[in-house]
Amino acid sequence: MTLRHFLRDDDLSPAEQTRLLDLAAELKAEPWSRRPLEGPQSVAMIFDKPTLRTQVSFGAGIAELGGNPMLVEGRLAGIGVRESVEDVARVLARQVSLVVWRTFFQADLDTMAAHAGVPVVNALTDDFHPCQLVADLLTVREHKGDLPGLTVAFVGDAACNMGNSWLLAGTTAGMHVRVAAPPGYQPTGAVLDRAAEIARETGGSATCFHEAEKAVAGADVVVTDTWISMGKESEEASRQAVFGAYALTSELLALAAPDAIAMHCLPAYRGKEIAAEVIDGPQSVVWDEAENRRHAQKAVMTFLLEASR
Ligand code: CP
């Protein structure tokens, strides 16, 4: 048996990502067609950071797969505080068929995966948000068709999980990924190098800009995210000043392709990183993105459970 986890976007090969997106579309059309958690088997959902979409979409999705969603209160469990990540992993594996964890450090998630003995899913870390990207790519496919060759522009704080995940997942899909961020908020060299490596295989590309206008010019998809990621609240004032030129306004969106779509993983702050007329306008697909979290994560869990048998 090969135990499979979904810890970062490049855990999926390009072919696996395509299969997973096909499965997500199938599950969206036929929500109760697959029952890999029949029993019901339990899935532990642990959140060390705030969440709305992730907890409800996983909870509903696990139930639709025939399973029992078990919300584990992160503060009560005290993972890494009350007991080690390794011991928590060993205990969880004796109770549940899969672990979904939102936490801070990617290294802790890696440790959980190394000791759990059941599939572990990244429900967001400081570094990556791969489940969001499966939902986002499903949404792009629904609105723009085949992914290879499409251009996506991510504007704002690119030194964060969403910027990193777009670079890895977008290039895996054969897309041209452009990020625009001010100095000091660009992706790390390690992420850019990995995206470039993937792009060489898929025909995509990964490019960094400082000017939002250059990244957005002619793009098929324009993406932004909050400037104040979880854990960065104390930097709010300085971040508002630095990111002002990267707001996704109707003027910036007008530089993209005429039929471009605007995306945001939510929660959104109107008048900050995205203008109200954009998020509430005709090019916005944010509510489809939010819905697609459920379909995407059901596909992720089904894929991991089947691959790990
Ligand atoms: N997009 C997202 O992950 O939403 P939540 O933080 O509400 O789960």
Side-chain angles (χ1 to χ4, degrees):
M1 183 189 80
T2 308
L3 189 58
R4 291 291 300 264
H5 307 288
F6 192 42
L7 308 180
R8 43 187 278 165
D9 306 84
D10 56 347
D11 283 343
L12 297 175
S13 70
E16 287 174 338
Q17 186 195 66
T18 300
R19 266 175 42 214
L20 208 142
L21 290 169
D22 290 344
L23 178 56
E26 179 191 317
L27 288 165
K28 186 169 183 173
E30 297 284 345
W32 294 278
S33 58
R34 303 266 189 141
R35 309 280 289 175
L37 291 167
E38 191 77 76
Q41 300 170 50
S42 292
V43 175
M45 306 186 299
I46 316 164
F47 296 99
D48 295 333
K49 295 185 180 195
T51 172
L52 169 67
R53 279 144 291 275
T54 307
Q55 66 167 322
V56 296
S57 57
F58 265 108
I62 290 161
E64 288 181 7
L65 293 176
N68 171 45
M70 182 188 290
L71 191 58
V72 179
E73 170 56 58
R75 269 170 302 202
L76 288 180
I79 302 172
V81 178
R82 245 179 116 234
E83 57 192 315
S84 68
V85 177
E86 290 89 334
D87 284 359
V88 171
R90 293 179 184 111
V91 170
L92 288 176
R94 297 296 180 102
Q95 304 291 349
V96 303
S97 297
L98 198 140
V99 174
V100 174
W101 192 16
R102 167 169 290 194
T103 194
F104 296 87
F105 304 114
Q106 190 73 22
D108 286 341
L109 196 75
D110 293 340
T111 302
M112 178 77 82
H115 294 87
V118 296
V120 174
V121 176
N122 180 353
L124 181 147
T125 60
D126 291 348
D127 291 345
F128 299 104
H129 198 359
C131 289
Q132 181 70 54
L133 260 290
V134 181
D136 285 7
L137 292 178
L138 177 64
T139 308
V140 174
R141 222 168 66 156
E142 289 171 346
H143 288 271
K144 306 299 299 178
D146 289 344
L147 299 177
L150 290 176
T151 296
V152 56
F154 180 96
V155 294
D157 180 8
C160 74
N161 44 31
M162 282 301 293
N164 290 342
S165 278
W166 262 107
L167 280 161
L168 297 192
T171 52
T172 299
M175 297 175 77
H176 302 293
V177 184
R178 303 173 184 165
V179 298
Y185 297 94
Q186 301 253 330
T188 64
V191 170
L192 284 172
D193 287 349
R194 179 66 184 129
E197 183 183 34
I198 297 167
R200 280 192 290 278
E201 183 187 345
T202 63
S205 62
T207 315
C208 275
F209 297 89
H210 284 138
E211 302 86 353
E213 293 78 7
K214 285 187 182 168
V216 170
D220 303 293
V221 181
V222 184
V223 185
T224 192
D225 190 15
T226 179
W227 297 332
I228 323 288
S229 289
M230 287 177 261
K232 304 290 184 190
E233 291 79 3
S234 63
E235 301 172 20
E236 180 165 356
S238 60
R239 283 174 168 259
Q240 301 290 5
V242 167
F243 287 114
Y246 297 83
L248 180 47
T249 60
S250 47
E251 291 78 19
L252 184 61
L253 187 58
L255 301 176
D259 59 350
I261 55 173
M263 304 185 76
H264 191 307
C265 68
L266 305 174
Y269 301 94
R270 289 169 174 78
K272 301 275 174 54
E273 78 276 3
I274 191 164
E277 67 261 28
V278 172
I279 192 168
D280 299 320
Q283 289 170 273
S284 169
V285 297
V286 301
W287 312 118
D288 291 344
E289 272 185 273
E291 176 189 334
N292 283 341
R293 292 294 301 278
R294 183 170 86 260
H295 313 302
Q297 289 154 191
K298 285 173 68 182
V300 168
M301 290 185 282
T302 302
F303 173 85
L304 294 178
L305 289 164
E306 288 180 354
S308 301
R309 267 196 204 124

mmCIF file of all heavy atoms in Angstrom, residues 217-246:
data_model
loop_
_atom_site.group_PDB
_atom_site.id
_atom_site.type_symbol
_atom_site.label_atom_id
_atom_site.label_comp_id
_atom_site.label_asym_id
_atom_site.label_seq_id
_atom_site.Cartn_x
_atom_site.Cartn_y
_atom_site.Cartn_z
ATOM 1 N N ALA A 217 -2.287 42.478 -17.584
ATOM 2 C CA ALA A 217 -2.519 42.788 -19.005
ATOM 3 C C ALA A 217 -2.888 41.535 -19.800
ATOM 4 O O ALA A 217 -2.091 40.600 -19.907
ATOM 5 C CB ALA A 217 -1.276 43.448 -19.591
ATOM 6 N N GLY A 218 -4.099 41.487 -20.315
ATOM 7 C CA GLY A 218 -4.552 40.395 -21.181
ATOM 8 C C GLY A 218 -4.848 39.086 -20.471
ATOM 9 O O GLY A 218 -5.139 38.079 -21.140
ATOM 10 N N ALA A 219 -4.792 39.059 -19.147
ATOM 11 C CA ALA A 219 -4.977 37.793 -18.406
ATOM 12 C C ALA A 219 -6.418 37.280 -18.549
ATOM 13 O O ALA A 219 -7.370 38.039 -18.688
ATOM 14 C CB ALA A 219 -4.634 37.985 -16.937
ATOM 15 N N ASP A 220 -6.530 35.948 -18.479
ATOM 16 C CA ASP A 220 -7.856 35.295 -18.521
ATOM 17 C C ASP A 220 -8.499 35.242 -17.140
ATOM 18 O O ASP A 220 -9.721 35.147 -17.032
ATOM 19 C CB ASP A 220 -7.702 33.857 -19.048
ATOM 20 C CG ASP A 220 -7.057 33.821 -20.412
ATOM 21 O OD1 ASP A 220 -7.689 34.299 -21.367
ATOM 22 O OD2 ASP A 220 -5.909 33.333 -20.513
ATOM 23 N N VAL A 221 -7.667 35.227 -16.129
ATOM 24 C CA VAL A 221 -8.130 35.070 -14.742
ATOM 25 C C VAL A 221 -7.340 36.049 -13.881
ATOM 26 O O VAL A 221 -6.112 36.120 -14.005
ATOM 27 C CB VAL A 221 -7.854 33.628 -14.234
ATOM 28 C CG1 VAL A 221 -8.355 33.447 -12.813
ATOM 29 C CG2 VAL A 221 -8.456 32.590 -15.172
ATOM 30 N N VAL A 222 -8.042 36.812 -13.042
ATOM 31 C CA VAL A 222 -7.349 37.738 -12.127
ATOM 32 C C VAL A 222 -7.759 37.368 -10.703
ATOM 33 O O VAL A 222 -8.950 37.249 -10.396
ATOM 34 C CB VAL A 222 -7.702 39.209 -12.428
ATOM 35 C CG1 VAL A 222 -6.887 40.127 -11.521
ATOM 36 C CG2 VAL A 222 -7.438 39.544 -13.893
ATOM 37 N N VAL A 223 -6.750 37.151 -9.859
ATOM 38 C CA VAL A 223 -6.967 36.631 -8.504
ATOM 39 C C VAL A 223 -6.361 37.585 -7.490
ATOM 40 O O VAL A 223 -5.267 38.126 -7.714
ATOM 41 C CB VAL A 223 -6.270 35.250 -8.333
ATOM 42 C CG1 VAL A 223 -6.603 34.649 -6.975
ATOM 43 C CG2 VAL A 223 -6.638 34.305 -9.461
ATOM 44 N N THR A 224 -7.058 37.761 -6.388
ATOM 45 C CA THR A 224 -6.425 38.429 -5.252
ATOM 46 C C THR A 224 -6.830 37.734 -3.965
ATOM 47 O O THR A 224 -7.649 36.804 -3.967
ATOM 48 C CB THR A 224 -6.758 39.928 -5.219
ATOM 49 O OG1 THR A 224 -5.893 40.569 -4.260
ATOM 50 C CG2 THR A 224 -8.214 40.177 -4.831
ATOM 51 N N ASP A 225 -6.237 38.180 -2.877
ATOM 52 C CA ASP A 225 -6.541 37.615 -1.554
ATOM 53 C C ASP A 225 -6.326 38.726 -0.539
ATOM 54 O O ASP A 225 -5.724 39.761 -0.855
ATOM 55 C CB ASP A 225 -5.618 36.409 -1.284
ATOM 56 C CG ASP A 225 -6.030 35.620 -0.033
ATOM 57 O OD1 ASP A 225 -7.163 35.821 0.452
ATOM 58 O OD2 ASP A 225 -5.217 34.814 0.452
ATOM 59 N N THR A 226 -6.792 38.494 0.661
ATOM 60 C CA THR A 226 -6.607 39.505 1.707
ATOM 61 C C THR A 226 -5.133 39.893 1.834
ATOM 62 O O THR A 226 -4.251 39.064 1.644
ATOM 63 C CB THR A 226 -7.129 38.993 3.063
ATOM 64 O OG1 THR A 226 -6.908 40.007 4.042
ATOM 65 C CG2 THR A 226 -6.451 37.713 3.489
ATOM 66 N N TRP A 227 -4.922 41.171 2.180
ATOM 67 C CA TRP A 227 -3.537 41.631 2.423
ATOM 68 C C TRP A 227 -3.096 41.281 3.833
ATOM 69 O O TRP A 227 -1.926 41.405 4.178
ATOM 70 C CB TRP A 227 -3.468 43.156 2.239
ATOM 71 C CG TRP A 227 -3.779 43.613 0.850
ATOM 72 C CD1 TRP A 227 -3.601 42.922 -0.311
ATOM 73 C CD2 TRP A 227 -4.314 44.892 0.479
ATOM 74 N NE1 TRP A 227 -3.990 43.679 -1.386
ATOM 75 C CE2 TRP A 227 -4.432 44.899 -0.929
ATOM 76 C CE3 TRP A 227 -4.701 46.026 1.190
ATOM 77 C CZ2 TRP A 227 -4.925 46.000 -1.631
ATOM 78 C CZ3 TRP A 227 -5.185 47.117 0.494
ATOM 79 C CH2 TRP A 227 -5.299 47.114 -0.905
ATOM 80 N N ILE A 228 -4.046 40.883 4.675
ATOM 81 C CA ILE A 228 -3.724 40.616 6.083
ATOM 82 C C ILE A 228 -4.029 39.138 6.358
ATOM 83 O O ILE A 228 -5.082 38.800 6.905
ATOM 84 C CB ILE A 228 -4.553 41.501 7.050
ATOM 85 C CG1 ILE A 228 -4.769 42.912 6.487
ATOM 86 C CG2 ILE A 228 -3.919 41.506 8.449
ATOM 87 C CD1 ILE A 228 -3.549 43.794 6.474
ATOM 88 N N SER A 229 -3.131 38.261 5.945
ATOM 89 C CA SER A 229 -3.347 36.832 6.175
ATOM 90 C C SER A 229 -3.398 36.542 7.664
ATOM 91 O O SER A 229 -2.881 37.322 8.482
ATOM 92 C CB SER A 229 -2.204 36.019 5.548
ATOM 93 O OG SER A 229 -2.303 36.044 4.150
ATOM 94 N N MET A 230 -4.029 35.384 8.003
ATOM 95 C CA MET A 230 -4.127 34.992 9.407
ATOM 96 C C MET A 230 -2.741 34.952 10.044
ATOM 97 O O MET A 230 -1.823 34.335 9.499
ATOM 98 C CB MET A 230 -4.793 33.617 9.509
ATOM 99 C CG MET A 230 -6.281 33.658 9.227
ATOM 100 S SD MET A 230 -7.019 32.024 9.274
ATOM 101 C CE MET A 230 -7.087 31.605 7.540
ATOM 102 N N GLY A 231 -2.609 35.645 11.177
ATOM 103 C CA GLY A 231 -1.324 35.722 11.862
ATOM 104 C C GLY A 231 -0.574 37.013 11.576
ATOM 105 O O GLY A 231 0.427 37.307 12.215
ATOM 106 N N LYS A 232 -1.048 37.807 10.572
ATOM 107 C CA LYS A 232 -0.357 39.053 10.203
ATOM 108 C C LYS A 232 -1.120 40.288 10.689
ATOM 109 O O LYS A 232 -0.847 41.405 10.240
ATOM 110 C CB LYS A 232 -0.211 39.126 8.668
ATOM 111 C CG LYS A 232 0.495 37.950 8.035
ATOM 112 C CD LYS A 232 1.971 37.928 8.365
ATOM 113 C CE LYS A 232 2.671 36.789 7.640
ATOM 114 N NZ LYS A 232 4.034 36.592 8.108
ATOM 115 N N GLU A 233 -2.082 40.100 11.594
ATOM 116 C CA GLU A 233 -2.961 41.194 12.012
ATOM 117 C C GLU A 233 -2.187 42.384 12.579
ATOM 118 O O GLU A 233 -2.576 43.536 12.370
ATOM 119 C CB GLU A 233 -3.991 40.690 13.034
ATOM 120 C CG GLU A 233 -5.035 39.732 12.477
ATOM 121 C CD GLU A 233 -4.547 38.289 12.313
ATOM 122 O OE1 GLU A 233 -3.385 38.003 12.685
ATOM 123 O OE2 GLU A 233 -5.318 37.459 11.807
ATOM 124 N N SER A 234 -1.076 42.130 13.257
ATOM 125 C CA SER A 234 -0.317 43.230 13.872
ATOM 126 C C SER A 234 0.343 44.116 12.812
ATOM 127 O O SER A 234 0.767 45.234 13.104
ATOM 128 C CB SER A 234 0.756 42.672 14.811
ATOM 129 O OG SER A 234 1.680 41.905 14.074
ATOM 130 N N GLU A 235 0.434 43.637 11.552
ATOM 131 C CA GLU A 235 1.067 44.407 10.482
ATOM 132 C C GLU A 235 0.044 45.158 9.639
ATOM 133 O O GLU A 235 0.376 45.665 8.558
ATOM 134 C CB GLU A 235 1.862 43.466 9.559
ATOM 135 C CG GLU A 235 2.952 42.672 10.258
ATOM 136 C CD GLU A 235 3.581 41.624 9.342
ATOM 137 O OE1 GLU A 235 3.469 41.732 8.109
ATOM 138 O OE2 GLU A 235 4.166 40.672 9.879
ATOM 139 N N GLU A 236 -1.202 45.241 10.108
ATOM 140 C CA GLU A 236 -2.287 45.759 9.268
ATOM 141 C C GLU A 236 -1.975 47.134 8.669
ATOM 142 O O GLU A 236 -2.101 47.334 7.468
ATOM 143 C CB GLU A 236 -3.608 45.799 10.046
ATOM 144 C CG GLU A 236 -4.737 46.342 9.189
ATOM 145 C CD GLU A 236 -6.111 46.073 9.768
ATOM 146 O OE1 GLU A 236 -6.214 45.395 10.810
ATOM 147 O OE2 GLU A 236 -7.078 46.545 9.152
ATOM 148 N N ALA A 237 -1.545 48.093 9.497
ATOM 149 C CA ALA A 237 -1.351 49.465 9.015
ATOM 150 C C ALA A 237 -0.285 49.513 7.922
ATOM 151 O O ALA A 237 -0.494 50.109 6.855
ATOM 152 C CB ALA A 237 -0.973 50.365 10.178
ATOM 153 N N SER A 238 0.853 48.867 8.153
ATOM 154 C CA SER A 238 1.933 48.924 7.164
ATOM 155 C C SER A 238 1.536 48.197 5.889
ATOM 156 O O SER A 238 1.855 48.629 4.776
ATOM 157 C CB SER A 238 3.224 48.335 7.737
ATOM 158 O OG SER A 238 3.025 46.989 8.111
ATOM 159 N N ARG A 239 0.782 47.125 6.019
ATOM 160 C CA ARG A 239 0.367 46.362 4.837
ATOM 161 C C ARG A 239 -0.637 47.147 3.995
ATOM 162 O O ARG A 239 -0.571 47.121 2.769
ATOM 163 C CB ARG A 239 -0.200 45.001 5.246
ATOM 164 C CG ARG A 239 0.886 44.023 5.613
ATOM 165 C CD ARG A 239 0.360 42.719 6.157
ATOM 166 N NE ARG A 239 1.445 41.761 6.213
ATOM 167 C CZ ARG A 239 1.660 40.782 5.328
ATOM 168 N NH1 ARG A 239 0.809 40.594 4.348
ATOM 169 N NH2 ARG A 239 2.685 39.977 5.443
ATOM 170 N N GLN A 240 -1.576 47.829 4.628
ATOM 171 C CA GLN A 240 -2.548 48.624 3.869
ATOM 172 C C GLN A 240 -1.804 49.636 2.998
ATOM 173 O O GLN A 240 -2.169 49.871 1.843
ATOM 174 C CB GLN A 240 -3.518 49.382 4.801
ATOM 175 C CG GLN A 240 -4.338 48.519 5.745
ATOM 176 C CD GLN A 240 -5.401 47.680 5.052
ATOM 177 O OE1 GLN A 240 -5.503 47.655 3.837
ATOM 178 N NE2 GLN A 240 -6.177 46.954 5.839
ATOM 179 N N ALA A 241 -0.747 50.247 3.548
ATOM 180 C CA ALA A 241 -0.004 51.269 2.805
ATOM 181 C C ALA A 241 0.756 50.639 1.634
ATOM 182 O O ALA A 241 0.720 51.149 0.511
ATOM 183 C CB ALA A 241 0.964 51.973 3.756
ATOM 184 N N VAL A 242 1.384 49.503 1.876
ATOM 185 C CA VAL A 242 2.229 48.870 0.850
ATOM 186 C C VAL A 242 1.404 48.310 -0.304
ATOM 187 O O VAL A 242 1.796 48.376 -1.474
ATOM 188 C CB VAL A 242 3.072 47.741 1.496
ATOM 189 C CG1 VAL A 242 3.709 46.846 0.451
ATOM 190 C CG2 VAL A 242 4.124 48.326 2.401
ATOM 191 N N PHE A 243 0.223 47.770 0.009
ATOM 192 C CA PHE A 243 -0.534 47.035 -1.015
ATOM 193 C C PHE A 243 -1.572 47.877 -1.758
ATOM 194 O O PHE A 243 -2.234 47.368 -2.656
ATOM 195 C CB PHE A 243 -1.231 45.825 -0.374
ATOM 196 C CG PHE A 243 -0.284 44.711 -0.030
ATOM 197 C CD1 PHE A 243 -0.049 44.353 1.285
ATOM 198 C CD2 PHE A 243 0.385 44.025 -1.036
ATOM 199 C CE1 PHE A 243 0.826 43.330 1.605
ATOM 200 C CE2 PHE A 243 1.267 43.001 -0.726
ATOM 201 C CZ PHE A 243 1.488 42.653 0.594
ATOM 202 N N GLY A 244 -1.692 49.162 -1.407
ATOM 203 C CA GLY A 244 -2.728 49.995 -2.031
ATOM 204 C C GLY A 244 -2.722 49.935 -3.558
ATOM 205 O O GLY A 244 -3.776 49.894 -4.197
ATOM 206 N N ALA A 245 -1.534 49.902 -4.154
ATOM 207 C CA ALA A 245 -1.421 49.912 -5.619
ATOM 208 C C ALA A 245 -1.795 48.567 -6.247
ATOM 209 O O ALA A 245 -1.825 48.439 -7.476
ATOM 210 C CB ALA A 245 0.003 50.277 -6.017
ATOM 211 N N TYR A 246 -2.084 47.577 -5.410
ATOM 212 C CA TYR A 246 -2.378 46.229 -5.923
ATOM 213 C C TYR A 246 -3.859 45.860 -5.764
ATOM 214 O O TYR A 246 -4.247 44.709 -5.985
ATOM 215 C CB TYR A 246 -1.498 45.205 -5.202
ATOM 216 C CG TYR A 246 -0.034 45.436 -5.483
ATOM 217 C CD1 TYR A 246 0.682 46.383 -4.751
ATOM 218 C CD2 TYR A 246 0.617 44.776 -6.512
ATOM 219 C CE1 TYR A 246 2.013 46.640 -5.030
ATOM 220 C CE2 TYR A 246 1.950 45.024 -6.799
ATOM 221 C CZ TYR A 246 2.639 45.966 -6.049
ATOM 222 O OH TYR A 246 3.961 46.220 -6.345
#
